[in-house]
Every structure is written in structure tokens, then in C-alpha cells.
Amino acid sequence: MKLVRYGEAGHEKPGLVDAQGRIRDLSAVVPDIAGASLSAQSLERLRSLDPSDLPLAPAGQRIGPCVGRVGNFVAIGLNYADHAAETGAPIPAEPIVFNKAPSCIVGPNDDVILPRGSRKTDWEVELAIVIGERASYVGANEALDFVAGYCICNDVSEREFQLERGGTWTKGKGCPTFGPLGPWLVTRDEIPDPHGLDMWLDVNGERMQTGSTKTMIFNVPQIVSYVSHFMILEPGDVITTGTPPGVGMGMKPPRFLKPGDVMSLGIAGLGEQRQRVIAFEERAPDTSHPVRERSASV
């Protein structure tokens, strides 16, 4: 199944993509594509539905992030052998784990906002794992039983914040709009082997990343098992699993995003994303969560 969330930001409705590529409304069946709705039992119930019995969503709807109410947004760094090589980093002995702020999650085609003071914002096409069952200290041999499905993540990263400001990588990873997810959550049964998926990313129509999940250092079961030994993973949590080569930081000279750039990216079987890059000053005001912004130094 391909599950989707559509509608105005913050008010998305759950949907299912039918065989003709149309969105069918699931609002009468589940409250959201989130939490308990992602359990094996719930997904089996959705799988038993006849999509033609569900109402069609109105045409032209915005596609939101394919998972709602994400609690843990975990990321794995330097998890592709060819990407590690382009950065000059050694192959990690264990997965490098960091967090992206759940508040950075946006829809697959929403604008990406350059944060205030950014000079080195970069792109990363990634396979993301969506958790379907509560996982704690699970073994790699059973880890896939805890996975609901997969989606695309653009792990947008501000490299100066990440690498030159001291401390952890998190500072460059969780800025608003730095976590586009979707367009769909594809259930695990449709992706029997997540370790052979072609992936790509273009900037302004120019191919930057061409890779495959086959060059992952730590595979999906290893990642889910490993992370579950350090935190409890809940249904709807997302783990994004690293990127192939071709990021801007690895180019000579390095190349970073600027206002007006357009990123297009995709993974075989998981769909495509497209984001326009805008300056911080161009962003639309968030009237639903007003905040007082200050310029004071920190």
C-alpha cells in the first residue's frame, strides 16, 4: 500500500493511493497516518479495504509529510561507503546516530527555507524507515517485524552549523523545513528488499546524486536493532538512513543551496519529491504558532 497525508499544513487528512494513482480518503477509517494506525494489525485492516469504496480526495490537494505526529526523528550518518569516501571519513565501526527535530518535518513538495545566517545548506536524498511497532532491544533477525514501511527523506543539512559550530551534528540538521518526508509511506510488503533501491537527486535539473541503497554500510535490520538499544522506538517514529555520494559539501569546490534553487529527488518504488529553496525572509508567516523572534546573539 501507498499511504499519504493530504491537505493544509497542520490539518492533513489520511489517504490511500489507489491503483490509478488517485488519493482515496481514509478519514472514516483511521484518524491519521500516525501512531497506532501504523501497527501491523491496523495496516492489515487497511489492506483489506476496497479502495473503490473510499471517497476520492478533492483534486489539487497539497501532499503533506507521509507520517504524522513523529516522536523520534533519528538519523544515521556516513552510512554509505561511497559517501564516506567522498568526505574522506573512515568507515564507521558502529552506526553514527544523531537526531533531527520533528519540527523540521514538512511535505515532499513544500519550500525549504534557508535558516537565518546560513551559508552552507546542503542536500541529501535518503531512505527513511517508519516504525510500526514499539521496539526496545530488538535483535536484527526480528527487526523488520517492527517496520511499517519506507519513504523518502531529504536530509537537508546546514554544514557550517553541523560541523563548524562545535558540539553535535544536530545543530545543522533540525532547522525548520529540513525534513521533507514522502510523498507516500510505502508499506514493507511492497519493498521486500530495501537494500537495492536506486536513488537520485537533481539541483536545477543537474544530476548531483546517483546511488543505491546497496552501498549502505549498516542495513535496515541492523539500524533498527541498533537504535532500539539506545531508545524506545514508538509507532510513527522515523529513522533516516544516510545518503550516497554527490552532496554539495563533497564537491570541489563545494556547492551549496541558494534562494531560487529547486531540488528534485527520488527513490525507486517510493516516488519523488520537489522543493524550491527560499530565503528566511521569504518564508510565509506561521499564523497557527506565532512566536516572538529576536536577533539577540546566543
Side-chain angles (χ1 to χ4, degrees):
M1 286 185 299
K2 293 181 175 68
L3 301 175
V4 67
R5 299 172 71 247
Y6 67 94
E8 182 183 348
H11 302 280
E12 293 92 347
K13 294 182 177 181
L16 180 152
V17 180
D18 67 18
Q20 291 73 43
R22 300 171 300 186
I23 297 176
R24 298 283 181 166
D25 184 23
L26 284 172
S27 298
V29 184
V30 291
D32 199 355
I33 308 300
S37 297
L38 295 168
S39 70
Q41 181 179 9
S42 175
L43 293 180
E44 189 57 38
R45 178 187 175 208
L46 296 181
R47 201 172 286 114
S48 69
L49 299 173
D50 182 346
S52 65
D53 292 335
L54 300 170
L56 286 167
Q61 293 287 300
R62 165 187 173 269
I63 302 299
C66 59
V67 189
R69 305 197 311 272
V70 175
N72 291 306
F73 191 5
V74 183
I76 308 298
L78 294 175
N79 192 39
Y80 282 64
D82 38 8
H83 174 53
E86 80 170 336
T87 65
I91 298 296
E94 296 187 32
I96 296 172
V97 179
F98 60 92
N99 288 92
K100 288 178 73 74
S103 59
C104 81
I105 294 173
V106 291
N109 304 314
D110 290 344
D111 291 342
V112 164
I113 302 169
L114 297 177
R116 183 182 286 169
S118 169
R119 298 186 299 174
K120 298 181 179 180
T121 296
D122 206 347
W123 54 83
E124 296 190 12
V125 58
E126 303 201 1
L127 170 71
I129 304 163
V130 180
I131 299 298
E133 306 283 347
R134 197 169 199 259
S136 180
Y137 293 103
V138 303
N141 63 328
E142 60 178 344
L144 288 180
D145 294 339
F146 296 82
V147 173
Y150 307 98
C151 67
I152 302 170
C153 174
N154 188 355
D155 178 20
V156 185
S157 309
E158 213 299 341
R159 302 302 189 187
E160 182 178 7
F161 297 179
Q162 175 190 355
L163 301 171
E164 301 174 33
R165 298 286 296 272
T168 69
W169 288 5
T170 299
K171 283 186 272 187
K173 295 286 190 171
C175 302
T177 73
F178 272 25
L181 293 180
W184 318 303
L185 187 166
V186 182
T187 52
R188 181 165 53 91
D189 57 297
E190 290 203 16
I191 309 290
D193 182 10
H195 308 112
L197 305 178
D198 292 335
M199 51 207 311
W200 58 273
L201 184 144
D202 295 347
V203 177
N204 301 329
E206 180 183 353
R207 183 59 45 95
M208 299 297 176
Q209 291 187 272
T210 302
S212 170
T213 56
K214 67 184 179 183
T215 67
M216 292 171 69
I217 298 165
F218 303 102
N219 65 26
V220 169
Q222 290 171 324
I223 289 169
V224 173
S225 173
Y226 187 84
V227 174
S228 79
H229 282 68
F230 297 97
M231 65 183 74
I232 295 173
L233 294 170
E234 300 285 0
D237 285 352
V238 174
I239 306 174
T240 190
T241 61
T243 198
V247 298
M249 177 178 65
M251 296 181 175
K252 300 187 188 309
R255 175 174 171 178
F256 299 110
L257 294 167
K258 61 186 184 302
D261 285 344
V262 174
M263 293 178 284
S264 303
L265 56 148
I267 299 179
L270 300 181
E272 299 183 6
Q273 299 185 355
R274 184 180 187 275
Q275 297 108 26
R276 181 173 64 105
V277 179
I278 65 172
F280 180 83
E281 292 74 17
E282 294 179 80
R283 75 201 191 286
D286 183 356
T287 56
S288 61
H289 297 88
V291 294
R292 179 179 297 173
E293 295 179 351
R294 299 183 179 182
S295 302
S297 58
V298 293

